């Protein structure tokens, strides 16, 4: 079985796959201090609790936080006796090489989203991922990542507002009934929610105008459905896009004899 690990700046998702079949998926917060042994204790507790029989023999990792990769590598080799594939490292092959400026790095989550979205929807895409950052990844007709846009994440924006202004509380994002708020929380929620609807709409429309070919917009990330209520911002919402990309990239490496 394959263990897929998707580490974002806020959360890390572990997902176990038996071929094309998902066995279990769990989420934990991303912490750079966590050791290989701590990952194992956490994972086996959940496996035992849910009575999941998992015979993990392969591991693939995408991490936007470079510092956690070392401990995840130790975790894979110590407990599953395998050398993990790490997306973005030269030893992990990609179905399509990104076309970006020489010497630049592309976030591994964006490479993974690109591979997943191309597999499911074909080319000429914008992938919008609502994570710690809101990213827009442009996928060309041939499946290559050809650039995109990075905006502050929804929760990141709300948190920044709270940290920067003494009188502004911590609030959760929601879709407000009205635009004109009549209390502090409602004003903040309105600013972030409607501001984001505008941000996504304007960014996608400008990407489409610049790209010149018809494009499909695919959204992923826990907050995507919130922004799609009645606003028709996306053509598709795909909850497990990033994990699917890890399965696709792992499969590609196997086909190339690289595991
Ligand atoms: N309706 C909602 N209202 C508020 N928060 C939500 C809602 N739905 C999901 N969330 C939260 O939004 C966050 C977005 O999840 P997602 O996996 O897309 O990004 P993340 O894991 O936080 O970011 P990263 O991948 O950069 O670590 C999660 O923390 C999730 O708990
Ligand atoms: C933009 C984030 C933080 C989104 O998770 C991640 O993809 C990242 O750290 N990227 C590196 C820079 C880039 O993708 O161009
Ligand atoms: K994510």
């Amino acid at each position: 079985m394959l263990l897929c690990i998707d580490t974002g700046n806020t959360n890390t998702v572990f997902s176990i796959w038996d071929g094309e079949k998902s066995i279990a998926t769990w989420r934990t917060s991303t912490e750079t201090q966590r050791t290989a042994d701590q990952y194992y204790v956490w994972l086996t507790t959940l496996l035992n609790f849910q009575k999941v029989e998992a015979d993990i023999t392969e591991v693939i990792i995408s991490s936007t936080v470079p510092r956690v990769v070392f401990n995840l590598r130790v975790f894979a080799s110590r407990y599953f006796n395998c050398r993990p594939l790490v997306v973005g490292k030269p030893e992990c092959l990609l179905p399509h090489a990104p076309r970006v400026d020489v010497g630049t790095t592309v976030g591994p989550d964006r490479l993974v989203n690109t591979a997943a979205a191309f597999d499911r929807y074909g080319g000429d895409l914008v992938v919008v991922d609502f994570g710690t950052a809101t990213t827009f990844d442009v996928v060309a007709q041939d499946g290559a990542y050809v650039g995109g846009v990075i905006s502050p994440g929804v929760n990141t924006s709300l948190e920044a507002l709270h940290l920067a202004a003494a009188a502004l509380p911590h609030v959760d994002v929601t879709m407000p009934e009205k635009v004109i708020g009549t209390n502090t929380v409602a004003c903040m929620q309105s600013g972030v929610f409607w501001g984001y609807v505008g941000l996504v709409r304007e960014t996608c429309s400008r990407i489409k105008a610049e790209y010149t070919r018809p494009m499909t917009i695919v959204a992923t990330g826990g907050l995507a459905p919130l922004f799609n209520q009645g606003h028709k911002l996306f053509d598709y919402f795909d909850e497990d896009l990033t994990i699917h990309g890890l399965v696709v990239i792992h499969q590609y490496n196997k086909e190339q004899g690289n595991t």
Side-chain angles (χ1 to χ4, degrees):
M1 288 182 196
L2 170 67
L3 172 62
C4 300
I5 306 175
D6 161 30
T7 297
N9 281 286
T10 310
N11 288 311
T12 298
V13 176
F14 285 66
S15 186
I16 301 170
W17 288 75
D18 188 3
E20 288 290 293
K21 194 163 139 262
S22 165
I23 304 290
T25 297
W26 293 297
R27 181 178 281 258
T28 183
S29 54
T30 298
E31 278 163 33
T32 51
Q33 307 291 347
R34 198 168 298 163
T35 65
D37 306 327
Q38 286 175 311
Y39 285 116
Y40 187 69
V41 169
W42 174 78
L43 193 70
T44 46
T45 304
L46 288 164
L47 284 166
N48 292 339
F49 182 70
Q50 298 193 350
K51 300 189 170 43
V52 176
E53 297 263 344
D55 177 21
I56 295 163
T57 51
E58 296 167 296
V59 178
I60 183 164
I61 299 166
S62 158
S63 178
T64 58
V65 185
R67 277 193 57 195
V68 304
V69 175
F70 174 78
N71 282 330
L72 287 172
R73 279 187 193 277
V74 175
F75 169 64
S77 68
R78 183 174 298 165
Y79 292 104
F80 308 116
N81 200 23
C82 69
R83 228 172 78 94
L85 277 173
V86 181
V87 177
K89 301 284 177 201
E91 73 270 12
C92 178
L93 305 175
L94 295 170
H96 306 275
R99 289 197 285 279
V100 288
D101 296 349
V102 176
T104 198
T105 48
V106 182
D109 53 340
R110 308 176 79 186
L111 297 172
V112 172
N113 283 346
T114 299
F118 183 69
D119 183 66
R120 284 194 171 150
Y121 308 96
D124 296 327
L125 307 173
V126 184
V127 182
V128 190
D129 189 336
F130 291 82
T132 306
T134 298
T135 50
F136 300 75
D137 312 323
V138 177
V139 185
Q141 193 182 18
D142 66 354
Y145 168 90
V146 291
V149 174
I150 301 173
S151 298
V154 178
N155 288 327
T156 305
S157 302
L158 277 167
E159 196 54 24
L161 206 50
H162 165 58
L163 290 175
L168 297 187
H170 172 86
V171 302
D172 289 326
V173 64
T174 180
M175 185 172 103
E177 291 294 310
K178 297 187 298 176
V179 179
I180 304 170
T182 49
N183 59 67
T184 307
V185 169
C187 289
M188 291 172 69
Q189 284 170 335
S190 181
V192 168
F193 183 86
W194 297 114
Y196 254 83
V197 170
L199 183 149
V200 173
R201 185 175 285 146
E202 182 70 10
T203 304
C204 288
S205 107
R206 284 179 179 267
I207 288 173
K208 283 179 166 179
E210 199 168 286
Y211 190 79
T212 65
R213 296 167 53 86
M215 299 180 97
T216 303
I217 302 178
V218 182
T220 189
L223 290 172
L226 183 68
F227 290 95
N228 211 25
Q229 299 175 71
H231 308 292
K232 287 221 159 77
L233 295 175
F234 324 123
D235 298 303
Y236 298 100
F237 166 63
D238 205 330
E239 200 178 355
D240 68 343
L241 194 68
T242 314
I243 291 295
H244 177 65
L246 286 172
V247 176
V248 166
I249 292 173
H250 179 263
Q251 186 60 38
Y252 178 75
N253 277 266
K254 263 193 131 160
E255 283 162 13
Q256 301 294 312
N258 187 42
T259 50

